[in-house]
Amino acid sequence: MSEKLSVVVDRLSRVPGVRGAAIVDARAGVPIVAELADDIAPTALAALAGSAFRMSGRATEKADYGPLKTLQLEATDGMVVVSGAGDLLVVAVAEAEAQLGLVRLEAARAAEEIR
């Protein structure tokens, strides 16, 4: 399984504008596999992705929108896309100029592949 996760992370990391990708344990918020730019801390990214996804997931369910599939965070210098894959999360960190639709599509495909 870890080889499959590494292949998924490698493929997502190659999407134009993506600065890195990771597979994160959804409950613990810790990285399992990561391929990130040197200035991105894997543990901090995993904690952010895990916490934000869990909290947003609870909110969507309480609002009767059903289970959360994808979370997108946008900031001045870039974005983080988190796609749920059961007990795992697929996380992509992208530059602000990256094609958001392509990043989201590839993150969703990766999540489906490892689900």
Side-chain angles (χ1 to χ4, degrees):
M1 178 68 152
S2 65
E3 184 175 330
K4 183 177 186 175
L5 298 179
S6 294
V7 168
V8 167
V9 165
D10 182 59
R11 189 172 57 240
L12 186 54
S13 295
R14 295 178 190 274
V15 172
V18 171
R19 300 186 62 234
I23 305 296
V24 172
D25 181 297
R27 292 184 186 161
V30 295
I32 296 173
V33 178
E35 187 175 309
L36 303 166
D38 290 339
D39 62 333
I40 302 171
T43 53
L45 175 66
L48 168 71
S51 177
F53 199 86
R54 281 190 312 274
M55 290 176 23
S56 297
R58 281 187 288 238
T60 60
E61 288 191 19
K62 285 186 181 192
D64 288 330
Y65 288 122
L68 181 63
K69 294 168 62 176
T70 302
L71 176 68
Q72 172 186 319
L73 303 169
E74 288 186 62
T76 305
D77 294 333
M79 62 187 114
V80 177
V81 174
V82 184
S83 290
D87 291 336
L88 301 174
L89 300 173
V90 174
V91 183
V93 179
E95 300 168 346
E97 300 80 25
Q99 292 183 358
L100 178 59
L102 180 59
V103 175
R104 286 178 54 112
L105 176 66
E106 292 301 329
R109 284 182 179 163
E112 189 60 36
E113 189 173 331
I114 64 171
R115 185 166 298 151

